[in-house]
Amino acid sequence: MTFNICVLASGSSGNCVYVGTETTRILIDAGLSGRETSARLGALDVELSEINAICVTHEHSDHKASLGIISRNHGIPVYANKGTLDAIETDSRMHGIKWNIFTTGQSFDIGDLTIEPFSVPHDSYEPVGYIVRAGQVKAGIVTDMGMATTLIRERLKDCDVAIIESNHDEELLRASERPWSIKQRIAGRQGHLSNKQAAELISEITGPKLKTVFLAHLSSDCNDQHLAIKEVTDTLKKQDISGVDVKLTYSSRISDLVSL
Ligand SMILES: [Zn+2]
Ligand SMILES: [Zn+2]
């Protein structure tokens, strides 16, 4: 079996992750337009009609923009917890979705993938991160979190690949033109993870299995790709950790495809 994972888009303009084996293909979040989702999947030789399910992390628009249209047009079931479902259903563009409700903390199967949703701190109703397993392979996906809790660190242990938010550089955020209240929200415990916090989290979850980390949800004006990579690689080097490939994700194009 081959386990494929690719970040189709990441950042405040849209988030979408593809995870697939030979027989099961899912998306985590649907923050791109339907057309763009289809085009980026096409680069992986996957058709939207082949997607078996979409799992949603939370109701913010950069994670759900085309959820309604993709689910309706292709009959794709959407998996979410009750808090996220209730928040999404208030949006009229999201009517007609075929929902599957899960309980945060309880795993469920989609084809040959096992999905384990877990709670993360973020300013939405019931936000989750996901562990996705297939055979011996374990992937961790946490894109919006204000802080790395003990639960998050526990869940991300022993991953082969992880997608982790590295939203902002703390200095760039402080110096930015954004209103004080927004800066407080982003830096707060229910906001977004800084490069420094991401680097600490990654060094804590690194084990013999972890080969690839994707840095996700980079802010366009309060971060810089080189700063984000440097923060993480410097922290790993300081702790004598080697063998972890740190990769970027993008808003305008897909990331590298990792096959395990
Ligand atoms: Zn969010
Ligand atoms: Zn987001």
Side-chain angles (χ1 to χ4, degrees):
M1 185 197 67
T2 310
F3 182 94
N4 293 310
I5 185 161
C6 177
V7 181
L8 300 185
S10 187
S12 57
S13 56
N15 294 275
C16 187
V17 175
Y18 168 77
V19 183
T21 63
E22 285 84 352
T23 57
T24 308
R25 299 168 184 87
I26 66 166
L27 298 178
I28 307 287
D29 288 332
L32 287 168
S33 69
R35 186 185 295 248
E36 197 57 30
T37 310
S38 173
R40 295 191 192 193
L41 276 174
L44 304 175
D45 267 336
V46 177
E47 306 258 340
L48 250 182
S49 56
E50 294 177 290
I51 297 295
N52 301 103
I54 304 171
C55 299
V56 187
T57 59
H58 64 299
E59 72 276 12
H60 287 163
S61 58
D62 54 322
H63 297 260
K64 67 159 191 209
S66 59
L67 197 59
I69 194 147
I70 291 179
S71 175
R72 282 193 303 272
N73 286 357
H74 299 276
I76 301 172
V78 176
Y79 290 71
N81 57 32
K82 183 78 169 68
T84 299
L85 181 155
D86 286 348
I88 287 178
E89 274 203 324
T90 59
D91 183 338
S92 62
R93 294 169 306 163
M94 302 294 155
H95 290 165
I97 290 176
K98 200 174 143 199
W99 290 105
N100 282 265
I101 304 176
F102 61 71
T103 302
T104 304
Q106 288 183 12
S107 66
F108 56 93
D109 292 336
I110 300 171
D112 56 7
L113 301 176
T114 299
I115 319 288
E116 302 167 17
F118 57 96
S119 185
V120 300
H122 187 57
D123 53 1
S124 55
Y125 280 90
E126 204 182 337
V128 295
Y130 289 106
I131 297 297
V132 182
R133 294 179 195 264
Q136 298 302 309
V137 178
K138 176 180 179 184
I141 300 157
V142 192
T143 60
D144 295 51
M145 63 181 137
M147 58 184 283
T149 59
T150 305
L151 176 67
I152 292 174
R153 290 197 296 268
E154 287 293 316
R155 300 306 292 122
L156 292 178
K157 288 251 163 77
D158 303 320
C159 281
D160 298 271
V161 53
I163 299 171
I164 295 189
E165 165 161 67
S166 192
N167 179 260
H168 57 276
D169 173 79
E170 292 173 11
E171 283 302 316
L172 287 179
L173 177 64
R174 258 194 295 274
S176 76
E177 301 281 298
R178 295 184 173 199
W180 184 82
S181 59
I182 302 277
K183 292 185 193 182
Q184 286 296 103
R185 192 220 132 212
I186 293 169
R189 295 158 81 90
Q190 304 237 305
H192 292 278
L193 217 60
S194 71
N195 293 340
K196 190 161 175 269
Q197 291 171 307
E200 281 163 13
L201 173 59
I202 292 163
S203 66
E204 281 169 355
I205 62 158
T206 303
K209 281 182 77 191
L210 187 68
K211 292 285 177 291
T212 308
V213 172
F214 287 100
L215 303 184
H217 222 300
L218 269 69
S219 163
S220 56
D221 55 341
C222 298
N223 210 347
D224 172 277
Q225 294 180 352
H226 303 290
L227 281 178
I229 288 272
K230 187 171 164 19
E231 188 79 51
V232 175
T233 50
D234 283 358
T235 302
L236 293 179
K237 209 181 285 172
K238 253 183 244 161
Q239 301 188 21
D240 277 332
I241 298 166
S242 58
V244 181
D245 187 10
V246 183
K247 291 183 183 293
L248 285 168
T249 61
Y250 310 91
S251 57
S252 56
R253 64 178 171 94
I254 65 172
S255 71
D256 287 348
L257 169 72
V258 170
S259 298
L260 297 158

